[in-house]
Amino acid sequence: MDHFLYKDGVLHAEDVAVSDIAAQVGTPFYVYSTATLTRHFKLFDDALSGMDHLVCFAMKSNSNLAVLKLMCELGSGVDVVSIGEYLKAKAAGFPGERIVFSGVGKTREEMRIALEGGIRQFNVESEPELAALNEVATSLGMKAPIALRVNPDVDAKTHAKIATGKSENKFGIPIATCRDVYKRAGEMPGIDVIGIDVHIGSQLTQLEPFELAFTKVAELTEALRADGHDIRRLDLGGGLGIPYERSNSAPPLPVEYTDVIRRTVGHLGCEIEIEPGRLISGNAGILVSSVIYLKHGEGRDFLIVDAAMNDLVRPSMYDAYHDIIPVTEPEAGEDQTPMDIVGPVCETGDTFAKARNMPGLGEGDLVAFRSAGAYGAVMASEYNSRPLIPEVLVKGDQFAVIRKRPSFDEMINRDTIPAWL
Ligand code: LLP
């Protein structure tokens, strides 16, 4: 459920007409709903009630400072994957003890900054990384709290580019050999072994892969405890999918997912961490764009809009489906015609939808791409020298620009020309 609904014939973000934001901010832009972000966080938080837990928002899905501040105030933790994300989380107010540092290639410098600034835990993904962290922590006279990210060799049944839990993927330490690594970790002076971490992929629409992975984690917990490790925290990653296509059957609910957690690892008495990103921010955001031209091609029509693949790369990168709706509510029973919805970038891949049925639209009309709050703005680029687009946050009947559109001069002046030119 989200808070982008038609009211009086116009799409609203909560109580604000999207057309009013467009008039003030110009298109294209992203807009996020405070109520949806809050609701989605609480769905997870409530569903884990009664268990010692921390929901750590995966900020890679949406890292705007205002969104982070909101999550922080809701009591969320945060999952970061670079020191840039760590410093942003700190700037938004997250205390170190609510920041989990994931990622396959943390550098020594990143480890040092996080250790000095405070960290809940490092999710360590390889033996060389473990050795480096031990060195850095020892040199600072500290002990780094760690979970080893295990690779459970489970098929997440999602798009190949976002599946992470098979042995051929670059992530984690094979579950079969990780007891030895835990043994070595337990002997390192700069390392404090506290738990196990697993994350098998993103946009999962079935519970079975989670069930398989968490069951393996439960077995490993018992084995490691028998080996003498004090395993007291399980980080079960993120990955629960969202309904992009309203016609498709909906993915499982957060409460069904947390039931799997209770069933598989609930008896172990561990503190539970989860790292949802998309399910919190995905349907909490839309991308608003306006029609530049309607072009009649041979055998097909092209709706050329002012957003492009540099603003929302998911369709061209993952063949992702995004619902695209007019901001002015179509009349009931209004004729629809199939059209290809494309951006102005000079690549055929700059296609958002093919043969999508749309009501009559013309120059200047506004359209909204739904489910664009996760992996939208964060993956944007300035390809084709198109400045990054603004982000707006709505709360009730108020809205604020939370990232402004840079001027062309700002974009141009970021480059420098050497003296010899
Ligand atoms: N934890 C870790 C260690 C992750 O790598 C990820 C996502 C998450 C949590 C959050 O997963 P989520 O709950 O959002 O599924 N750009 C792609 C998605 C990449 C996901 C990368 N890792 C997309 O647009 O679909």
Side-chain angles (χ1 to χ4, degrees):
M1 198 213 122
D2 63 44
H3 295 78
F4 300 98
L5 297 170
Y6 290 113
K7 287 181 200 167
D8 304 324
V10 178
L11 186 69
H12 277 61
E14 301 190 20
D15 299 327
V16 182
V18 166
S19 47
D20 287 349
I21 307 176
Q24 199 164 313
V25 176
T27 56
F29 62 90
Y30 281 99
V31 53
Y32 311 126
S33 155
T34 300
T36 313
L37 287 163
T38 305
R39 180 186 141 79
H40 288 166
F41 170 76
K42 290 210 163 127
L43 282 178
F44 281 113
D45 202 35
D46 293 349
L48 286 171
S49 68
M51 296 179 97
D52 192 7
H53 72 274
L54 186 66
V55 177
C56 294
F57 175 56
M59 67 176 276
K60 63 168 74 69
S61 69
N62 188 318
S63 58
N64 187 286
L65 213 52
V67 170
L68 296 179
K69 176 98 194 301
L70 170 67
M71 299 311 299
C72 181
E73 288 187 355
L74 290 171
S76 180
V78 65
D79 170 63
V80 308
V81 289
S82 71
I83 209 62
E85 285 198 347
Y86 175 89
L87 293 172
K88 244 184 148 177
K90 277 299 203 70
F94 283 98
E97 65 263 24
R98 278 200 261 149
I99 306 179
V100 173
F101 201 155
S102 300
V104 74
K106 301 172 208 74
T107 65
R108 285 177 163 77
E109 181 64 358
E110 290 183 310
M111 294 167 178
R112 184 186 61 74
I113 296 171
L115 278 168
E116 287 180 340
I119 190 83
R120 179 178 178 81
Q121 116 220 355
F122 291 91
N123 290 336
V124 173
E125 299 221 14
S126 66
E127 284 210 66
E129 188 196 348
L130 182 66
L133 184 59
N134 178 44
E135 262 173 48
V136 176
T138 312
S139 73
L140 294 170
M142 299 173 85
K143 261 185 177 303
I146 66 130
L148 289 185
R149 175 166 176 181
V150 296
N151 186 322
D153 197 18
V154 164
D155 182 358
K157 302 195 172 114
T158 185
H159 191 284
K161 282 189 187 156
I162 52 175
T164 56
K166 287 289 284 173
S167 54
E168 71 252 29
N169 301 132
K170 69 179 176 181
F171 299 98
I173 297 170
I175 200 159
T177 57
C178 73
R179 273 171 92 172
D180 289 343
V181 186
Y182 269 99
K183 181 167 185 297
R184 286 191 280 285
E187 290 160 358
M188 291 179 172
I191 297 292
D192 181 16
V193 174
I194 59 167
I196 306 172
D197 168 46
V198 71
H199 170 79
I200 54 175
S202 195
Q203 186 53 19
L204 271 73
T205 53
Q206 297 168 38
L207 291 175
E208 195 207 353
F210 287 121
E211 177 119 27
L212 287 172
F214 300 166
T215 303
K216 289 190 179 193
V217 167
E219 286 162 11
L220 179 65
T221 305
E222 315 246 24
L224 291 175
R225 283 178 171 169
D227 291 346
H229 299 284
D230 180 15
I231 301 297
R232 50 199 185 274
R233 186 181 290 164
L234 302 178
D235 181 336
L236 302 174
L240 187 59
I242 62 171
Y244 280 100
E245 250 174 291
R246 276 181 290 178
S247 52
N248 274 9
S249 63
L253 300 171
V255 70
E256 295 170 311
Y257 161 81
T258 54
D259 279 349
V260 174
I261 294 179
R262 287 178 195 277
R263 205 166 51 241
T264 50
V265 300
H267 58 289
L268 296 166
C270 286
E271 180 182 9
I272 301 298
E273 259 166 28
I274 54 170
E275 302 168 348
R278 190 190 314 264
L279 205 136
I280 291 178
S281 57
N283 283 330
I286 59 173
L287 165 64
V288 181
S289 179
S290 49
V291 175
I292 307 179
Y293 299 117
L294 177 61
K295 170 174 163 175
H296 299 295
E298 242 170 65
R300 64 181 67 214
D301 288 342
F302 296 98
L303 192 70
I304 304 170
V305 297
D306 65 358
M309 62 187 287
N310 68 298
D311 304 308
L312 178 66
V313 77
R314 301 194 69 260
S316 53
M317 191 149 173
Y318 312 109
D319 302 314
Y321 181 99
H322 283 265
D323 215 2
I324 305 171
I325 58 170
V327 166
T328 303
E329 187 173 15
E331 303 284 330
E334 188 177 328
D335 275 355
Q336 306 238 335
T337 17
M339 43 187 97
D340 288 7
I341 302 173
V342 301
V345 159
C346 300
E347 287 202 30
T348 302
D350 186 24
T351 297
F352 291 118
K354 279 190 172 290
R356 188 74 66 86
N357 275 332
M358 298 296 285
L361 284 167
E363 285 183 29
D365 285 342
L366 297 170
V367 292
F369 292 68
R370 297 177 62 89
S371 316
Y375 307 110
V378 285
M379 294 181 78
S381 76
E382 288 183 339
Y383 186 40
N384 277 211
S385 292
R386 295 166 46 89
L388 292 185
I389 65 176
E391 294 173 89
V392 172
L393 183 65
V394 166
K395 183 180 186 194
D397 60 2
Q398 357 164 29
F399 73 91
V401 174
I402 55 173
R403 175 185 286 176
K404 73 174 185 60
R405 192 189 305 277
S407 68
F408 287 105
D409 279 347
E410 279 170 307
M411 183 182 70
I412 293 163
N413 292 331
R414 223 177 303 118
D415 296 354
T416 48
I417 298 175
W420 66 82
L421 266 178

